[in-house]
Each structure stands twice: as structure tokens, then as C-alpha cells.
Amino acid sequence: MDGRREDTPRETAPHGAAPYRTAGRTVPEPGTGPDRAAGTAAREAAAPYGTGVAVQEAGPGDAVSGVRPRWVALPESTGEVAALLRHAAAHDLAVVPVGGGTKPHRGLPPERCDLVVGTGRLDGVPEHAAGDLIVRVMAGTTMGTLAAVLAERGQRLCLDVPDGGATVGGTLATAEAGPLRFRYGTARDLLIGVTVVLADGTVARSGGKVVKNVAGYDLGKLFTGSHGTLGVITEAVFRLNPVPPVRRWVVAEPPASDWPSDPSGDALDALAGLLAASPAEPSAIEADLPGPGREPSLAVLVEGTAAEERARAVRDLLDGHCPARVTDEAPAWWGSRPARRRCWSCGSRPAGPAARCGRWRTASCPPGCAGRSRRAFCGPGCPPASRRRSSRGS
């Protein structure tokens, strides 16, 4: 969330030169003499120490995508977040909210960063209505902590994100979800209420504590995936599901030699579609493509009533295409976050951070690589192809 007004032109100047304009005010650049004194006074006035919130000077470890802030604030309530953002708006400070720090490079780096608002102290579960399958949770609570609290009552939030250290607010801001998104949807589908603080310090609430609520604009869907550009999420209300008594995975490992003959991945798509339409009603379908010389894997999760019988039905369905087995433990790669790895076909690694990639092919692949397909190329700056595919994106 950038504290400046986008409709106001900015004129930058070299260090010690003429002042620049921002948000309708003239701010002197640091220099010498009166300009330097005025700049120092402006910086001291902009420091958020008088907001009543714990604030400290930023260190090298607080940098956001290489941009080092000036201060780090640790609010403990929605009111304190609002006070910080009112101060930031009044002094034209660029603010970046930070949760657990598990996804620091998601999204574009900020143009500037004056104040980092850490949500680590915005933690706790103020309300858990187990009978209504509803929970209200603070944004700084980690997903692992929330899962443990809900498990005590035999319930779960079906956002099985790869990293349990991720916070609720960060999970919403990045729209991250795990394999269960195949059946239960992503964060925006499970969120029924949200409290946010806008750039000017206004506190906005949307939704409520009932699943069917059509009152007002659905801010939850707007803020999910916003990467902190619209405001700071401080509270969230989710609908829950019971923890299934039985879970079974059906794992298939077709020979690796079968995959280069189908570089577009159409066979895998067709198989996933066949499984999705199966009467067995799988909860999740994930595929792992580790690279050349190693066997790919396809795993299907079946849980709940008659899970054992339904898992056998899925195994029989897969046996017509490749050998499969039923297990009560997830594969080691299940639910892991996609990583930057080699091209699945030729083994090339991505060349540089700005390398272009294809669905399966990196920029480093030689001409004629089997990874080159009709869906091969993305736009400039696309991150290298990941090792794992899912039947439904997060």
C-alpha cells in the first residue's frame, strides 16, 4: 500500500538539488544548509513514534524485496493500525504490511517503503462458534496455530497452505491455498467477513458471522489477493468444515518415458478431468513432475464417508492408465509449494531472475526441447516454470 496520491505528479531531483512535489506538498531534498535542516525536521516529524504503537528503527533484515524501510511498527489492535495509517497518510509515508514473512518476493517490489506494519502481534482467536462452524481470527495468527485451535473441536479451515508459519492475513493477501482448493475453493470462497484498515486510517468491515450474508459490498473478495496494496487486513471470519475421520491417498506413478511424448500435458489434463468427474468425489488432485530421468507422480485424496471403498474405486479407474496404490499417508511432495527447478524434459535450469518460461519449458532450453509446446511461452519477467501442477490454480 503506497501512501502517496497517484493523481499528483512527482518531480524528482538529484540529491541536494531542487525539492520535489508529492501529495500537494513541497518537501525539501536533503542537502546542506537550510534545506538540510528543513529535511531533517520533516523526517523527524514523520517518525510514527507519537502514535502509541511500538515502533523501532528498521534494520537490514526488514527490507522488503530489497527496499529497506525507515521504521517497523508492531500494532496490537485494529485501532493501532488505524492510528499508524492516519499518521502515514498525513506525512506521505509509503506503508508495506508484513505478516509471517514466508512469501517476501510475491508480487512486485515496492517503489519505496518508509514504514513496515508487522501484524505478528495481531494474533489470537477471539471467537470460535463450533456449533455454527464459524471462526473469527486476528490477521497475525499463524495458520498452524489456527489449525491447532480448530482441531481441538474436530474442525478445520480448508486452506491447507504449504507453510504453517504463514499468517491468516498474509494467506488472504496472497490468495494462497493448498490442494483442498479442488473441492472447497480458495480463501475468497471460505471468507465470510473481514475487517480492514484503508490507507487513510478508515476502518472498514464487511460480511458477518453467517454464511449467507448479502449486506453491503463484499470487501473480502476484493482484498483477497491484493498483496497489501489496498489496505491492512486485521480480522477475518471463516466458515469451517469438520475434520474427516478417514483420509486415503491414491498414488499413481506412470513411467517417465510416457511424458515426453505428450509435452503439452493434455493427457494429464484429461486424466485429472476424468478423476474430477468420478463418483468417488475426490477432495484434491495433485501432480508432481520432478524432471527428466525421474518418474512423475499423480495423487488423489479421498476422505470422509466410505473413504476406503471410494479410494479403491479411484485406484481401479487409474489402473486403466497406469499402476496405482492406496495409502493412508500423503506423498512427500504433497502440498509443497512449487519451486524453481529444472525443465521437466531437458533438465535445463532457468537463466536469471527475469527469465521467460513456458508451462513446462524454461528460457534455457535448447532448440527442439520437448518442453516446447503450443502453450509454451509466457510474457517477459514470468517466473521459471514450477515442478508441480494442480488441477485447479490458487
Side-chain angles (χ1 to χ4, degrees):
M1 179 180 56
D2 200 316
R4 66 181 185 278
R5 282 175 19 197
E6 296 293 339
D7 58 347
T8 302
R10 168 182 287 184
E11 296 180 0
T12 58
H15 183 76
Y20 64 87
R21 295 198 304 272
T22 177
R25 297 184 299 278
T26 298
V27 181
E29 285 283 352
T32 58
D35 285 349
R36 182 179 182 86
T40 302
R43 288 194 299 273
E44 291 178 353
Y49 293 111
T51 58
V53 184
V55 178
Q56 61 189 26
E57 296 286 337
D62 298 313
V64 180
S65 298
V67 181
R68 181 171 174 175
R70 295 156 67 183
W71 304 284
V72 175
L74 301 173
E76 299 181 8
S77 66
T78 299
E80 290 191 355
V81 175
L84 280 171
L85 296 196
R86 283 195 297 268
H87 179 90
H91 294 85
D92 190 34
L93 302 180
V95 180
V96 175
V98 174
T102 59
K103 298 174 283 292
H105 302 296
R106 290 284 184 91
L108 296 174
E111 294 181 3
R112 63 189 180 99
C113 178
D114 300 311
L115 175 64
V116 162
V117 176
T119 62
R121 296 185 182 180
L122 287 168
D123 61 341
V125 182
E127 184 176 357
H128 178 200
D132 297 328
L133 292 173
I134 298 296
V135 66
R136 180 167 64 92
V137 59
M138 303 299 292
T141 307
T142 64
M143 297 297 292
T145 299
L146 177 60
V149 171
L150 299 178
E152 294 176 358
R153 304 295 296 272
Q155 297 177 353
R156 65 176 179 174
L157 174 63
C158 294
L159 287 177
D160 48 343
V161 297
D163 195 332
T167 62
V168 170
T171 300
L172 289 174
T174 56
E176 187 169 24
L180 289 176
R181 62 188 177 274
F182 175 79
R183 180 171 184 177
Y184 298 99
T186 59
R188 69 195 307 269
D189 302 302
L190 301 171
L191 184 69
I192 62 175
V194 68
T195 300
V196 300
V197 181
L198 306 180
D200 61 354
T202 301
V203 178
R205 293 179 173 86
S206 175
K209 302 176 185 176
V210 294
V211 174
K212 294 184 178 179
N213 191 324
V214 295
Y217 188 81
D218 194 348
L219 287 178
K221 287 184 171 56
L222 177 65
F223 273 76
T224 301
S226 63
H227 289 269
T229 59
L230 304 178
V232 181
I233 300 172
T234 60
E235 291 186 21
V237 183
F238 294 101
R239 61 180 177 89
L240 308 174
N241 293 90
V243 175
V246 181
R247 308 183 83 191
R248 293 291 184 269
W249 283 265
V250 184
V251 182
E253 297 178 348
S257 58
D258 291 351
W259 294 93
S261 62
D262 181 45
S264 66
D266 288 338
L268 182 60
D269 290 341
L271 186 57
L274 185 64
L275 291 167
S278 167
E281 297 181 349
S283 295
I285 304 172
E286 292 278 280
D288 180 54
L289 302 176
R294 299 178 60 187
E295 293 185 350
S297 299
L298 179 70
V300 182
L301 171 62
V302 180
E303 54 186 7
T305 306
E308 189 70 41
E309 292 78 6
R310 290 159 52 212
R312 287 198 292 267
V314 172
R315 181 197 60 192
D316 295 341
L317 181 61
L318 288 173
D319 276 339
H321 301 269
C322 54
R325 69 181 190 277
V326 178
T327 176
D328 57 358
E329 293 185 359
W333 51 265
W334 180 268
S336 60
R337 184 177 288 118
R340 298 181 177 184
R341 294 176 57 128
R342 298 176 183 267
C343 171
W344 72 276
S345 180
C346 70
S348 297
R349 290 186 180 274
R356 300 186 184 185
C357 75
R359 193 167 187 177
W360 305 110
R361 181 178 183 274
T362 75
S364 305
C365 298
C369 168
R372 190 184 185 106
S373 72
R374 60 184 173 85
R375 296 180 291 186
F377 293 104
C378 302
C382 178
S386 68
R387 68 176 178 89
R388 182 172 59 87
R389 296 186 64 203
S390 171
S391 55
R392 179 173 175 177
S394 56

